[in-house]
Amino acid sequence: MTSALSPSVSARDQAELDQLYKRFAAAHMSPLWTHIGDLMPAIPRPEAVPMVWRWPTLLGLAERAGVLVPVGRGGERRAIALANPGLAGAPYATPTLWAAVQYLGPREKAPAHRHSQTAFRFVIDGEGVWTNVEGDPVAMRRGDLLLTPGMHFHEHHNTTDRAMAWVDGLDIPLVRQIDAGFFEFGPDELGTQATPASSRNERLWGHPGLTPVGAPTPKASPLMAYRWEHTDAALTAQLDLELEGHPGVVEPGHAVVRFTNPATARDCLTTMRCEMHRLRPGTRTAVTRSTGSSVYQIFAGSGVVRIGDERFEVGTGDLFAVPSWAPLGLMSEPGLDAFRYSDEPVFEALGLAHTEREEMA
Ligand code: GTQ
Ligand code: FE2
């Protein structure tokens, strides 16, 4: 073994050094100088790699699981994770973020449970499933973002004769790594099969700019559903205003809305940031890199994404993972909408959030 602290050693000293390293190991100690480069790289050196998962593949295999694998107590969910090939077989899209396709067949129910991991659902297509959060049934439809903050009981039920699939985002890898996971089964009879058009939390919190006085202000959003009609209208208005010459768009042709907690105006979830991006036809974004990782799903349209040194064509439903500090750029000829989530709230809370814009070549 070599050491920066002893550039040249005699044979006798070497034998004594070897002895020292053996004694370190026996005493469960490890010197900094032999792996400082790994522990403290000059810039982030993610093990996760840039990766695209194609929606037709995900959906096809989820449908097959729907035929072969029952959903129920124990396994809890028919959810199939996206496994980043850089992460040694772990079922993680990035070191902090879980992404899965979940599939619920006609009349099926996924049983109630709760956990300290934070979750959301994003619906690329279809409807007919209600996610019941703390006894409040929340309809799930195309383009909607549905939240399940930590330690909220939740179950999903499909009231229709058609199967439905959607994407789950959770902070499972982060919570696992920092040993903060708690999990409990819920009562089997939590299950109201009620299917109200509007959930109670939407009726209380879903009015723009109006905070119900007397309601508590939790850290995670008390509004559990963000409806596509609102998201779409907000993006449309941003791009229309840009065309009319008003400021407020992040860059030309690129509108972004962030899903926020109406009680605090901060991120809707404590550990994950959720956004919807829209690129006008023919738009190319600036190339930027940030600490922290993210996952995107193309909601509509298509384009080309550059992640690090790689370029991928992506179409509707495709998901991709962006490792920490990898340069990211999006371009689209026909225009596109993309849902994005990241671990930025964690990085910001810890003072570890950095972003830079790549200089033009
Ligand atoms: O729907 O409750 O993809 O608890 C992973 C863990 C979904 C869920 C996942 C979960 C759920
Ligand atoms: Fe869950």
Side-chain angles (χ1 to χ4, degrees):
M1 217 174 282
T2 58
S3 156
L5 300 184
S6 53
S8 66
V9 289
S10 72
R12 204 201 67 173
D13 285 352
Q14 186 61 51
E16 297 205 9
L17 256 184
D18 291 348
Q19 189 61 26
L20 176 63
Y21 286 112
K22 285 204 182 96
R23 291 175 65 195
F24 283 156
H28 301 286
M29 298 167 71
S30 185
L32 171 66
W33 58 85
T34 57
H35 38 231
I36 188 166
D38 258 356
L39 292 174
M40 304 171 77
I43 60 170
R45 221 161 60 194
E47 287 172 0
V49 296
M51 177 68 191
V52 174
W53 292 264
R54 304 289 171 193
W55 184 246
T57 305
L58 298 173
L59 187 59
L61 291 173
E63 280 167 355
R64 191 68 190 135
V67 172
L68 295 176
V69 184
V71 62
R73 187 56 87 205
E76 299 297 288
R77 301 292 185 260
R78 193 187 289 111
I80 308 142
L82 280 53
N84 189 299
L87 297 177
Y92 302 160
T94 79
T96 51
L97 301 173
W98 169 275
V101 53
Q102 184 167 164
Y103 185 91
L104 209 51
R107 310 285 162 191
E108 280 187 327
K109 191 183 105 175
H113 66 208
R114 67 175 179 177
H115 38 73
S116 54
Q117 292 85 354
T118 288
F120 67 78
R121 338 271 157 208
F122 179 70
V123 183
I124 184 78
D125 197 18
E127 59 181 49
V129 170
W130 268 254
T131 181
N132 182 342
V133 183
E134 293 283 332
D136 189 5
V138 183
M140 295 172 60
R141 302 185 204 96
R142 180 180 176 273
D144 294 346
L145 172 70
L146 304 315
L147 306 185
T148 316
M151 291 323 273
H152 286 53
F153 277 113
H154 53 288
E155 64 179 11
H156 317 307
H157 63 273
N158 184 348
T159 61
T160 72
D161 292 321
R162 295 235 312 266
M164 185 175 165
W166 63 88
V167 166
D168 295 318
L170 289 93
D171 54 9
I172 291 173
L174 172 74
V175 172
R176 181 75 187 83
Q177 183 61 34
I178 63 177
D179 292 327
F182 294 88
F183 180 98
E184 278 173 48
F185 295 128
D188 286 333
E189 62 284 4
L190 175 75
T192 166
Q193 292 285 110
T195 58
S198 198
S199 57
R200 297 198 297 274
N201 69 78
E202 289 174 271
R203 291 164 63 198
L204 189 58
W205 283 99
H207 310 282
L210 296 171
T211 300
V213 173
T217 57
K219 275 193 180 172
S221 178
L223 180 66
M224 304 290 161
Y226 297 75
R227 300 298 176 190
W228 173 242
E229 62 178 295
H230 300 139
T231 310
D232 183 33
L235 292 168
T236 300
Q238 261 191 49
L239 290 178
D240 285 352
L241 286 163
E242 185 203 14
L243 284 187
E244 294 163 26
H246 300 286
V249 174
V250 69
E251 60 185 336
H254 180 190
V256 189
V257 288
R258 186 167 297 165
F259 298 96
T260 52
N261 176 344
T264 64
R266 300 170 71 96
D267 284 287
C268 60
L269 297 167
T270 53
T271 53
M272 291 183 286
R273 173 161 294 167
C274 298
E275 293 172 345
M276 185 70 77
H277 291 239
R278 176 168 292 171
L279 266 56
R280 201 197 294 285
T283 299
R284 171 186 295 261
T285 69
V287 175
T288 60
R289 58 180 178 177
S290 303
T291 50
S293 54
S294 56
V295 174
Y296 285 72
Q297 185 176 33
I298 305 297
F299 176 65
S302 62
V304 175
V305 58
R306 176 187 153 197
I307 315 171
D309 297 329
E310 300 192 58
R311 274 178 177 71
F312 305 93
E313 290 195 6
V314 286
T316 303
D318 293 349
L319 290 113
F320 56 89
V322 184
S324 186
W325 214 234
L328 173 75
L330 275 169
M331 61 208 94
S332 177
E333 281 311 318
L336 64 75
D337 289 344
F339 175 76
R340 167 183 187 261
Y341 67 106
S342 76
D343 52 17
E344 281 164 295
V346 176
F347 280 66
E348 288 178 359
L350 300 181
L352 295 170
H354 307 287
T355 298
E356 65 177 42
R357 209 182 145 119
E358 184 171 87
E359 296 310 319
M360 286 297 152

Coordinates of all heavy atoms in Angstrom, one line a residue, residues 8-44:
S8 N 8.8 7.6 0.2 CA 9.7 6.5 0.0 C 10.1 5.9 1.4 O 10.4 6.6 2.3 CB 11.0 7.1 -0.6 OG 11.6 8.0 0.3
V9 N 10.0 4.6 1.4 CA 10.2 3.9 2.7 C 11.1 2.7 2.4 O 11.1 2.1 1.4 CB 8.9 3.4 3.3 CG1 8.1 4.6 3.8 CG2 8.1 2.6 2.3
S10 N 11.9 2.4 3.4 CA 12.8 1.3 3.3 C 11.9 0.0 3.5 O 10.8 0.1 3.9 CB 13.8 1.3 4.5 OG 13.1 1.1 5.7
A11 N 12.6 -1.1 3.2 CA 11.8 -2.4 3.2 C 11.4 -2.6 4.7 O 10.3 -3.1 4.9 CB 12.7 -3.5 2.8
R12 N 12.2 -2.3 5.6 CA 11.8 -2.5 7.0 C 10.7 -1.6 7.4 O 9.7 -2.1 8.0 CB 13.0 -2.2 7.9 CG 12.9 -3.0 9.3 CD 13.8 -2.4 10.3 NE 13.2 -1.1 10.7 CZ 13.7 -0.3 11.7 NH1 14.7 -0.8 12.4 NH2 13.2 0.8 12.0
D13 N 10.8 -0.3 7.0 CA 9.6 0.6 7.3 C 8.4 0.0 6.6 O 7.3 0.2 7.1 CB 9.9 2.0 6.7 CG 10.9 2.7 7.7 OD1 11.2 2.1 8.7 OD2 11.4 3.8 7.3
Q14 N 8.5 -0.5 5.4 CA 7.3 -1.0 4.6 C 6.7 -2.1 5.4 O 5.5 -2.2 5.5 CB 7.8 -1.5 3.2 CG 6.6 -1.9 2.4 CD 5.6 -0.7 2.1 OE1 6.0 0.4 1.7 NE2 4.3 -0.9 2.4
A15 N 7.5 -3.0 6.0 CA 6.9 -4.1 6.7 C 6.1 -3.5 7.9 O 5.1 -4.0 8.3 CB 8.0 -5.0 7.2
E16 N 6.7 -2.5 8.6 CA 6.0 -1.9 9.7 C 4.8 -1.2 9.3 O 3.7 -1.2 10.0 CB 7.0 -1.0 10.4 CG 8.2 -1.7 11.0 CD 8.8 -1.0 12.2 OE1 8.2 0.0 12.7 OE2 9.9 -1.4 12.6
L17 N 4.8 -0.6 8.1 CA 3.6 0.1 7.6 C 2.5 -0.9 7.3 O 1.3 -0.7 7.7 CB 3.9 0.8 6.3 CG 4.1 2.3 6.3 CD1 4.3 2.8 4.9 CD2 2.9 3.0 6.9
D18 N 2.9 -2.0 6.7 CA 1.9 -3.1 6.4 C 1.3 -3.5 7.7 O 0.0 -3.8 7.8 CB 2.6 -4.3 5.7 CG 3.0 -3.9 4.2 OD1 2.6 -2.8 3.8 OD2 3.8 -4.7 3.6
Q19 N 2.1 -3.7 8.7 CA 1.6 -4.1 10.0 C 0.6 -3.0 10.5 O -0.4 -3.4 11.1 CB 2.8 -4.2 11.0 CG 2.5 -4.8 12.3 CD 1.9 -6.2 12.2 OE1 2.2 -7.0 11.2 NE2 1.1 -6.7 13.1
L20 N 0.9 -1.8 10.3 CA 0.0 -0.7 10.8 C -1.3 -0.8 10.1 O -2.4 -0.7 10.8 CB 0.7 0.7 10.5 CG -0.2 1.9 10.9 CD1 -0.5 1.9 12.4 CD2 0.5 3.2 10.4
Y21 N -1.3 -1.0 8.8 CA -2.6 -1.1 8.1 C -3.4 -2.3 8.6 O -4.6 -2.3 8.7 CB -2.4 -1.2 6.6 CG -2.0 0.1 6.0 CD1 -0.7 0.4 5.5 CD2 -2.9 1.2 6.0 CE1 -0.3 1.6 5.0 CE2 -2.5 2.4 5.4 CZ -1.3 2.6 5.0 OH -0.9 3.9 4.5
K22 N -2.7 -3.4 8.9 CA -3.4 -4.6 9.4 C -4.0 -4.3 10.8 O -5.1 -4.7 11.1 CB -2.4 -5.8 9.6 CG -2.1 -6.4 8.3 CD -1.6 -7.9 8.5 CE -1.2 -8.5 7.2 NZ 0.3 -8.5 7.0
R23 N -3.3 -3.5 11.6 CA -3.8 -3.1 12.9 C -5.0 -2.2 12.8 O -5.9 -2.2 13.5 CB -2.7 -2.6 13.8 CG -1.7 -3.6 14.2 CD -0.5 -3.1 14.9 NE -1.0 -2.5 16.2 CZ -0.2 -1.7 17.0 NH1 1.0 -1.3 16.6 NH2 -0.6 -1.3 18.1
F24 N -4.9 -1.3 11.8 CA -6.1 -0.4 11.5 C -7.3 -1.3 11.2 O -8.4 -1.0 11.8 CB -5.9 0.5 10.2 CG -5.0 1.7 10.4 CD1 -4.3 2.2 9.2 CD2 -4.8 2.3 11.6 CE1 -3.5 3.3 9.3 CE2 -4.0 3.4 11.7 CZ -3.3 3.9 10.6
A25 N -7.1 -2.2 10.3 CA -8.3 -3.1 9.9 C -8.8 -3.8 11.1 O -10.0 -3.9 11.3 CB -7.9 -4.0 8.8
A26 N -7.9 -4.4 11.9 CA -8.3 -5.2 13.1 C -9.0 -4.3 14.1 O -9.9 -4.8 14.8 CB -7.1 -5.9 13.7
A27 N -8.7 -3.0 14.2 CA -9.3 -2.1 15.1 C -10.5 -1.4 14.5 O -11.1 -0.5 15.1 CB -8.3 -1.1 15.6
H28 N -10.9 -1.9 13.3 CA -12.0 -1.2 12.6 C -11.8 0.2 12.4 O -12.6 1.1 12.7 CB -13.4 -1.5 13.3 CG -13.7 -3.0 13.4 ND1 -14.1 -3.8 12.4 CD2 -13.5 -3.8 14.5 CE1 -14.2 -5.0 12.8 NE2 -13.8 -5.1 14.1
M29 N -10.6 0.5 11.8 CA -10.3 1.9 11.5 C -9.8 1.9 10.0 O -9.4 0.9 9.5 CB -9.1 2.4 12.4 CG -9.5 2.5 13.8 SD -8.0 2.7 14.8 CE -7.6 4.4 14.5
S30 N -9.9 3.1 9.4 CA -9.5 3.2 8.0 C -8.9 4.6 7.7 O -9.5 5.6 8.1 CB -10.7 2.9 7.1 OG -10.4 2.9 5.8
P31 N -7.7 4.6 7.2 CA -7.1 5.9 7.0 C -7.7 6.7 5.8 O -8.2 6.2 4.8 CB -5.6 5.6 6.6 CG -5.7 4.2 6.0 CD -6.9 3.5 6.7
L32 N -7.8 8.0 6.0 CA -8.3 8.9 5.0 C -7.4 8.8 3.7 O -7.9 8.8 2.6 CB -8.4 10.3 5.5 CG -8.7 11.4 4.4 CD1 -10.1 11.2 3.9 CD2 -8.5 12.8 4.9
W33 N -6.1 8.8 3.9 CA -5.2 9.1 2.8 C -5.2 8.1 1.7 O -4.9 8.4 0.6 CB -3.8 9.4 3.3 CG -3.2 8.2 4.0 CD1 -2.5 7.2 3.5 CD2 -3.2 8.1 5.4 NE1 -2.1 6.3 4.5 CE2 -2.5 6.9 5.7 CE3 -3.6 8.8 6.5 CZ2 -2.3 6.4 7.0 CZ3 -3.4 8.3 7.8 CH2 -2.7 7.1 8.0
T34 N -5.7 6.9 2.0 CA -5.7 5.9 0.9 C -7.0 5.9 0.0 O -7.0 5.3 -1.0 CB -5.6 4.4 1.5 OG1 -6.7 4.2 2.4 CG2 -4.3 4.2 2.2
H35 N -8.0 6.7 0.5 CA -9.2 6.8 -0.5 C -9.8 8.2 -0.4 O -11.0 8.3 -0.7 CB -10.2 5.7 -0.2 CG -10.4 5.3 1.2 ND1 -10.4 4.0 1.6 CD2 -10.7 6.1 2.3 CE1 -10.6 4.0 2.9 NE2 -10.8 5.2 3.4
I36 N -9.0 9.2 -0.2 CA -9.5 10.5 -0.2 C -10.1 10.9 -1.6 O -11.1 11.6 -1.7 CB -8.5 11.6 0.2 CG1 -9.2 12.9 0.4 CG2 -7.3 11.6 -0.7 CD1 -8.3 14.0 1.2
G37 N -9.5 10.4 -2.7 CA -10.0 10.7 -4.0 C -11.4 10.2 -4.2 O -12.2 10.9 -4.9
D38 N -11.7 9.0 -3.7 CA -13.1 8.5 -3.8 C -14.0 9.2 -2.9 O -15.2 9.4 -3.3 CB -13.0 7.0 -3.3 CG -13.0 6.1 -4.5 OD1 -13.2 6.6 -5.7 OD2 -12.9 4.9 -4.3
L39 N -13.6 9.5 -1.7 CA -14.5 10.1 -0.7 C -14.8 11.6 -1.0 O -15.9 12.0 -0.7 CB -13.8 10.0 0.7 CG -13.7 8.6 1.3 CD1 -12.9 8.7 2.6 CD2 -15.1 8.0 1.5
M40 N -13.8 12.2 -1.5 CA -13.9 13.7 -1.7 C -13.5 14.1 -3.1 O -12.4 14.8 -3.2 CB -13.1 14.4 -0.6 CG -13.6 14.0 0.8 SD -12.5 14.6 2.1 CE -13.1 16.3 2.2
P41 N -14.2 13.7 -4.1 CA -13.8 14.0 -5.5 C -13.9 15.5 -5.7 O -14.7 16.2 -5.0 CB -14.8 13.2 -6.4 CG -16.0 13.0 -5.5 CD -15.5 12.9 -4.1
A42 N -13.2 16.0 -6.7 CA -13.2 17.4 -7.0 C -14.6 17.9 -7.4 O -15.0 19.0 -7.1 CB -12.2 17.7 -8.2
I43 N -15.3 17.1 -8.1 CA -16.7 17.4 -8.5 C -17.5 16.1 -8.3 O -17.0 15.1 -8.2 CB -16.9 17.9 -9.9 CG1 -16.4 16.8 -10.9 CG2 -16.1 19.2 -10.1 CD1 -16.7 17.1 -12.3
P44 N -18.9 16.3 -8.2 CA -19.7 15.0 -7.9 C -19.4 14.0 -9.0 O -19.2 14.3 -10.2 CB -21.1 15.5 -8.0 CG -21.0 17.0 -7.6 CD -19.7 17.5 -8.2

